[in-house]
Amino acid sequence: MDFNFYMPVQVISGEQAVSGHVQLLRGLGEKCLIITGGRSARASGALGDVTAALERAGVAYKVFDGVGANPHVSVCEQAGRIAGAFSADFLIGIGGGSPMDAAKAAALYAANPELKGEQIFDYVPGGKTAPLPVVLVGTTAGTGSEVSAVAVLTKDSDGRKKSISGPYCFARIAFADPRYTWTMPYETTVSTALDALCHTVEGMLNPRISDTARMFGRRALKLIGPALTRMHREQTLPDASERERLYYGSLYAGVVLAACGTAFPHPMGYVLTEDYGIPHGRACAVFLPELVRYAKKTAPKAAEEVLGLLDLPLKKFRIMVRELAAVDVKMDPETAMRYAARWVGLKNFKNVPGGYDERQAYGLLVRLFVRAQEDVR
């Protein structure tokens, strides 16, 4: 038995999670910078609830709403500098994965003004000042950033995605109110649900998964799987009850992510987002059927458990995920080889049962995208 577990986030869940716990915000300080994107925080009602709670708590605040998809390091640094100039005591990130991850990075910049640009990737806890406390309010059901110790940023220097991670990336508090996900359109709902599915399956197939993380993974699949199956079949938005299941499923998946990390679908998915504009969840999900197929040979018991919890045979699982991901990407062999060179010795590949390497990743790119290019010639 392996009962190792660490997840220090205080999660407050349910309707009125924010407005019902004003005292928690008051306890973090007198000034706050709110970090959001351009739409979802307002449309969902989350921003209004947060600002009302801060006003009731007597906390002064400013709003930084310049975070776009796949946040660049420069944007996170800008937010951190604003927080520092405002003398913010804590930050609140509201939105999907991008604003929440940006808030984690901005908290580092705010506490460490000597950090410049991509030096954030060299941050070492203990040698620098700890980041400001971060509160997260999710408006999508997929990222799991509320309960994970990771923030994925886009480097300004080359446009590649790179993560910061460690205990310092955990939020202090997460307000988890599924109502904030109700305004997500269909495409975003599907993509974020696929992201949560990837977090869960990649963790469940990790040879080093603990019994505790596996428990969360089982729960996540039972919540996420039926919703994805129905959306694939009917191509309609979830009702309020299904929204709730998807959101809590994404939190369970986020705990698995925090405990296990990801396997090859995530780093391989990054290149589809960087160079082809594919949303993150769909980009990662493209490679998920191959992970499960591969695990059927190298860890059949774990693969069968995943498929059994989803109540899908491998063939139907592959069809569902690929049709929901629905990417149209073509590349030449040279491009595939260039991508594969990025993955030499990548730690994510060690999270695959039986191991995986850049040569196998290259072969997968060829099967999925190079042959598709050759077929149209």
Side-chain angles (χ1 to χ4, degrees), residues 148-166:
S148 72
V150 179
V152 181
L153 314 177
T154 300
K155 296 160 61 183
D156 293 85
S157 60
D158 58 14
R160 293 182 178 180
K161 299 177 78 169
K162 187 172 181 177
S163 63
I164 57 174
S165 62

Side-chain angles (χ1 to χ4, degrees), residues 36-362:
T36 77
R39 190 195 73 86
S40 68
R42 290 181 172 83
S44 65
L47 180 58
D49 286 352
V50 168
T51 55
L54 290 171
E55 289 166 4
R56 285 173 55 199
V59 176
Y61 63 86
K62 283 188 175 182
V63 177
F64 177 84
D65 60 2
V67 179
N70 310 301
H72 280 73
V73 168
S74 57
V75 173
C76 300
E77 184 176 7
Q78 180 187 5
R81 302 298 175 232
I82 292 172
F86 184 51
S87 298
D89 298 303
F90 65 102
L91 281 66
I92 300 180
I94 306 175
S98 293
M100 289 194 287
D101 285 2
K104 295 179 181 182
L108 272 175
Y109 284 117
N112 296 276
E114 73 280 3
L115 277 181
K116 307 297 182 185
E118 293 175 13
Q119 292 175 354
I120 193 171
F121 297 113
D122 300 319
Y123 174 84
V124 178
K128 301 286 185 180
T129 305
L132 297 183
V134 173
V135 176
L136 297 178
V137 183
T139 64
T140 64
T143 175
S145 187
E146 299 96 323
V147 293
S148 72
V150 179
V152 181
L153 314 177
T154 300
K155 296 160 61 183
D156 293 85
S157 60
D158 58 14
R160 293 182 178 180
K161 299 177 78 169
K162 187 172 181 177
S163 63
I164 57 174
S165 62
Y168 63 89
C169 275
F170 277 116
R172 183 73 61 85
I173 301 168
F175 290 113
D177 188 337
R179 293 179 307 127
Y180 298 146
T181 70
W182 290 1
T183 55
M184 279 194 300
Y186 177 78
E187 292 298 330
T188 304
T189 302
V190 169
S191 186
T192 54
L194 287 172
D195 192 20
L197 179 68
C198 289
H199 293 157
T200 311
V201 175
E202 290 173 59
M204 289 284 284
L205 297 179
N206 187 323
R208 291 174 293 280
I209 187 173
S210 69
D211 293 319
T212 311
R214 191 181 301 280
M215 177 184 69
F216 280 94
R218 289 168 176 156
R219 180 62 171 159
L221 291 180
K222 296 295 282 186
L223 291 170
I224 298 165
L228 276 170
T229 300
R230 189 206 59 76
M231 285 192 289
H232 175 243
R233 182 179 65 249
E234 300 177 10
Q235 298 185 27
T236 56
L237 283 166
D239 60 18
S241 178
E242 194 168 71
R243 290 279 196 195
E244 182 177 50
R245 291 193 293 274
L246 278 170
Y247 183 65
Y248 287 126
S250 77
L251 294 184
Y252 281 106
V255 174
V256 177
L257 170 64
C260 300
T262 58
F264 66 74
H266 263 71
M268 293 185 72
Y270 286 173
V271 303
L272 299 188
T273 299
E274 294 165 358
D275 293 344
Y276 302 91
I278 307 297
H280 171 73
R282 288 170 51 204
C284 297
V286 169
F287 304 101
L288 193 64
E290 171 63 14
L291 174 63
V292 177
R293 186 199 67 81
Y294 186 77
K296 282 270 285 185
K297 298 179 179 179
T298 59
K301 184 177 179 180
E304 287 299 336
E305 180 181 28
V306 165
L307 293 170
L309 288 164
L310 292 170
D311 195 24
L312 290 171
L314 178 59
K315 182 177 180 180
K316 289 188 176 180
F317 172 78
R318 295 172 72 178
I319 291 172
M320 180 188 76
V321 172
R322 286 181 176 166
E323 290 184 354
L324 285 173
V327 305
D328 182 16
V329 171
K330 299 177 178 63
M331 63 180 69
D332 55 46
E334 293 74 22
T335 300
M337 186 66 72
R338 176 166 51 84
Y339 290 144
R342 291 173 52 176
W343 303 322
V344 176
L346 196 67
K347 64 180 182 180
N348 306 70
F349 286 16
K350 298 176 183 178
N351 294 336
V352 178
Y356 207 75
D357 61 31
E358 70 279 2
R359 293 169 298 175
Q360 291 166 295
Y362 170 76

